[in-house]
Amino acid sequence: MYFKLAILSLLNLFSVYGFEFFCFNDGYRRLIEEIKSIAVRPDSPIVTRWIEQKLDHFDSNETRTWRMRYYERLDYWRSHGPVYLYIGGEGPATPGFLTTGVMYELAQETRGAMFMSEHRYYGKSQPVKRNNIEDMKFLTTPQALADIANLLRTIVKKAIFRHSKIVVVGGSYAGNLAAWMRLVYPDLVNAAIASSAPVLAKRDFYEYLEVVSKDYEQYGTSGCLENIRNQFQRYELLFQTEEGVKQLKQENNICDRSDITKPENKHLFFLTKASNFSYTVQYATPAKIQNHCSSINGTKDTLGLPNDDQNYQSKKQNCEYYNFNNTVQAYHKEENDQAYCWTYQSCTEFGYYQTATSDNQLFTNNIPAEFYDKLCMSLFGEGFNKDKVNNGVNTINSMYGGKSPNVTQVVFVNGELDPWSALSVLEDISNDAPAVYIPRSSHCRDLFSNKDGDPDELKQARARIKNLIKKWIRAGDIISHIINKVTST
C-alpha cells in the first residue's frame, strides 16, 4: 500500500505484554517513517495549508464540509512550470516528500511547483468525529479522488498556475489514486506516476506470500528455503498434539493463558511468523534477504524481526499473548487509528487479504481468507462479511479497470522483490501507459533519489520515469501552443 497499499504487509506490533496487534498494511507507514527521517530545515520553504472539502461530493443534500491539510513548496517554480502533487495515502502527510525523490528532482529540473495532499480520515484531515461505524461511510476511494480533484482545481484557479500542466505521483495505495486520477479526471491531470500500485482489488491475495517465497528462493543463502519450509511444517506438526502445543509454547515464549488451539489464535500465530519474512522482503535488497537467511539458518525458530532494523524490532519483555479478541480491541485504541481506517477500506473496497491458501509458498496453509473476514466482522459488524468485501472488490475493479485501466500518460513502476507487484501493471498497456519493472528493487524505491548502493537498474528506471513525465508534459505544451495559435488566427 504505506505506501501503503502501506499495501498489506503483515507488520506485527508487540507491547510489553506480548502480541497485541497487527496492521493490514505496512507499506505506506514504512514509507512515511523513512521520509520523516529526512530532516526539514527550520527555514524550509514548505508551507502548510488547508482547504475546505465537501463531506460528500456526490450527495447534494449533504451540506457539511471539513478542512483537508496539504503542503506547498514554490521556491523552484517559474512561470508556466508544471504543478506536481504527491498524493497522500493511508497515513499522515509529511513535508519530507517535498524534499527528496523523483518528484522533487522533476520539480527542480522543470521549474515546477510541489504540493502534497493528505487523505481524508488520516493524519489531521478528519472529516467527522467518529463515534460509530456510520461515521466511516465517507471513507471511500471516489470521495478521496474527488478531494484531490477539488484541491487541484483550486490550485490551478490561481493566475500563476493557469497554464501549468499537472502531474500526480503516488506510491502503494496512493499509486492507485495517481493512476485513477488520470483515468477519472483526464481533463485535469496530464500525467501520473503510479509506483507499486496494486490496482487490482482482490479478497484472497495469496500471491503475496508466493512472491515472498520466490524472493527467498532466488536470493536466499544455501539451505535457507528448506529451513523456512521445515520450520513452518514443524509448527504445524506441533499443533496436532497436546504435548506438541506445550512444546511450541515453551520454544516461542507464548503465555500459558494463550489458547493457541483456537482457530483464530492459531491463525494469528502463523500470521506473526510469516510476517517476519513479508516484512523483510517488502523493503528488501538481495543482501538483506541473505542476511536474514544467515540469521535464521541453523536456529530452531524465526520469531525475531530482522536485526538490521531496530525501529521495528520486537521489544519482548514478557510472554507472547496470542488472542484474537485482544487484537480486535487494539484496533480501537487511539494510537492505532490509522490502521483502523485502512482496515475499513480493506474490508469495504480492496480485500488485499494476504493469505496462505496457495501451495506455492513456504508458510503452510494456516492463514485463510476467513480469518480476515472474521476480523472485519468483529471490527465493523456482521454486515462486513465475505459478500460485502467481494462486492466492494468487484465495484472497484469495474470502476477503474483492474490491471488494464484505460489510461494514457501513466507510468506504472514495480520492483521485482515487491509482493504487491502481483496486483499491479507489469506489462505495457500502450506506448503511453508503459510498465517499468525494476530487477532487485522493492516497494516504492523508485520514488526516492539515487544513493550509493542502489543497483544500476533502479537508477536507470528513475531516469526513464523522469524522461517520460518530461516528454508528456512537453507534448502537452506543444499541443496547447498549436491550439492557441490556430485560435488566434
Side-chain angles (χ1 to χ4, degrees):
M1 233 56 309
Y2 357 115
F3 321 163
K4 95 151 358 321
L5 165 193
I7 15 139
L8 301 176
S9 173
L10 306 177
L11 175 68
N12 298 283
L13 303 179
F14 291 83
S15 72
V16 295
Y17 301 105
F19 181 90
E20 183 177 289
F21 176 73
F22 78 91
C23 178
F24 263 102
N25 182 21
D26 178 37
Y28 193 71
R29 189 195 72 86
R30 173 68 186 269
L31 189 62
I32 289 172
E33 289 300 319
E34 188 163 349
I35 289 292
K36 283 173 66 177
S37 68
I38 301 170
V40 177
R41 304 190 321 268
D43 60 342
S44 169
I46 299 172
V47 179
T48 303
R49 299 203 182 279
W50 299 84
I51 182 173
E52 188 174 18
Q53 297 279 16
K54 294 180 180 179
L55 181 60
D56 191 330
H57 292 276
F58 310 105
D59 183 357
S60 59
N61 294 321
E62 176 57 76
T63 60
R64 286 178 291 175
T65 61
W66 60 283
R67 297 177 75 229
M68 170 181 161
R69 180 172 65 167
Y70 69 100
Y71 293 106
E72 173 188 273
R73 179 170 182 174
L74 305 181
D75 53 322
Y76 294 120
W77 186 82
R78 296 295 182 270
S79 179
H80 289 75
V83 166
Y84 294 96
L85 174 67
Y86 195 104
I87 297 174
E90 65 279 20
T94 173
F97 284 103
L98 307 186
T99 63
T100 186
V102 165
M103 188 185 82
Y104 170 79
E105 293 173 9
L106 276 167
Q108 284 185 310
E109 295 165 14
T110 62
R111 295 307 191 185
M114 286 182 281
F115 298 86
M116 182 182 182
S117 61
E118 187 167 66
H119 198 295
R120 58 169 57 202
Y121 284 78
Y122 295 98
K124 294 186 177 180
S125 296
Q126 298 296 323
V128 293
K129 186 175 181 180
R130 300 192 301 281
N131 297 311
N132 52 58
I133 193 59
E134 182 68 13
D135 295 326
M136 298 295 293
K137 69 180 182 180
F138 303 105
L139 178 52
T140 70
T141 296
Q143 297 286 3
L145 293 174
D147 289 338
I148 299 167
N150 184 49
L151 172 61
L152 289 173
R153 290 192 187 103
T154 301
I155 290 171
V156 298
K157 279 181 182 178
K158 297 180 180 179
I160 60 172
F161 298 128
R162 193 165 295 163
H163 302 291
S164 295
K165 296 294 181 288
I166 295 178
V167 179
V168 294
V169 182
S172 199
Y173 159 61
N176 294 359
L177 298 179
W180 296 339
M181 280 300 299
R182 175 68 183 150
L183 175 70
V184 180
Y185 300 98
D187 295 334
L188 181 62
V189 173
N190 300 100
I193 301 172
S195 174
S196 299
V199 290
L200 178 67
K202 190 174 186 183
R203 173 175 169 270
D204 187 352
F205 183 17
Y206 62 82
E207 295 92 340
Y208 189 98
L209 289 180
E210 287 186 338
V211 176
V212 172
S213 300
K214 178 182 67 68
D215 288 346
Y216 275 91
E217 180 178 19
Q218 184 165 353
Y219 293 107
T221 57
S222 176
C224 184
L225 199 71
E226 284 305 308
N227 187 39
I228 298 169
R229 180 182 287 111
N230 292 339
Q231 185 64 64
F232 276 82
Q233 289 176 351
R234 183 172 178 273
Y235 293 150
E236 190 171 48
L237 182 64
L238 290 174
F239 265 104
Q240 294 177 10
T241 66
E242 186 176 337
E243 283 301 311
V245 169
K246 182 178 179 180
Q247 184 176 349
L248 190 70
K249 283 187 171 184
Q250 291 174 346
E251 291 178 358
N252 292 274
N253 193 32
I254 299 172
C255 302
D256 290 338
R257 69 184 187 279
S258 182
D259 184 0
I260 57 175
T261 62
K262 286 186 175 180
E264 59 269 32
N265 293 343
K266 180 181 178 181
H267 302 328
L268 274 179
F269 173 85
F270 278 93
L271 181 59
T272 307
K273 296 297 185 180
S275 68
N276 297 330
F277 300 90
S278 303
Y279 166 86
T280 300
V281 303
Q282 185 159 309
Y283 292 93
T285 61
K288 285 186 177 181
I289 294 174
Q290 292 168 7
N291 290 339
H292 191 209
C293 281
S294 297
S295 72
I296 64 177
N297 280 347
T299 64
K300 285 186 176 182
D301 200 359
T302 55
L303 174 66
L305 295 175
N307 292 326
D308 62 342
D309 196 337
Q310 297 298 324
N311 289 332
Y312 294 87
Q313 195 171 9
S314 167
K315 297 175 181 176
K316 183 179 62 173
Q317 296 182 9
N318 296 310
C319 61
E320 309 298 345
Y321 185 44
Y322 292 89
N323 185 284
F324 180 83
N325 293 332
N326 276 25
T327 299
V328 172
Q329 292 171 14
Y331 270 96
H332 292 284
K333 294 182 178 179
E334 184 177 353
E335 61 268 27
N336 297 326
D337 183 66
Q338 310 299 313
Y340 178 87
C341 291
W342 176 245
T343 302
Y344 178 86
Q345 288 191 262
S346 301
C347 296
T348 56
E349 293 185 311
F350 300 112
Y352 293 154
Y353 297 170
Q354 295 167 15
T355 69
T357 59
S358 167
D359 292 332
N360 298 319
Q361 47 84 28
L362 299 170
F363 308 105
T364 69
N365 193 345
N366 285 288
I367 311 171
E370 289 74 19
F371 167 81
Y372 296 94
D373 290 333
K374 183 170 183 176
L375 178 63
C376 291
M377 290 187 289
S378 298
L379 281 171
F380 307 119
E382 290 299 317
F384 290 77
N385 52 24
K386 175 181 177 180
D387 291 339
K388 186 174 182 65
V389 71
N390 279 333
N391 288 337
V393 163
N394 292 336
T395 299
I396 287 290
N397 291 332
S398 176
M399 289 176 66
Y400 305 119
K403 295 173 77 170
S404 301
N406 185 22
V407 293
T408 59
Q409 298 188 180
V410 178
V411 55
F412 295 90
V413 191
N414 286 279
E416 175 196 7
L417 301 178
D418 183 13
W420 288 101
S421 65
L423 298 184
S424 192
V425 177
L426 301 181
E427 297 182 357
D428 294 355
I429 296 172
S430 68
N431 289 335
D432 277 333
V436 176
Y437 188 70
I438 312 173
R440 300 184 294 156
S441 186
S442 57
H443 194 65
C444 294
R445 295 317 302 177
D446 54 291
L447 294 179
F448 292 81
S449 294
N450 291 337
K451 65 178 182 179
D452 293 340
D454 283 347
D456 290 340
E457 298 96 330
L458 179 55
K459 295 177 181 179
Q460 292 164 6
R462 289 175 178 139
R464 185 185 176 196
I465 293 164
K466 290 195 292 182
N467 286 336
L468 284 166
I469 295 299
K470 290 175 184 177
K471 180 185 77 171
W472 290 334
I473 59 178
R474 187 164 55 244
D477 286 336
I478 293 171
I479 292 171
S480 296
H481 176 74
I482 294 172
I483 291 173
N484 290 335
K485 188 173 182 179
V486 171
T487 304
S488 63
T489 57

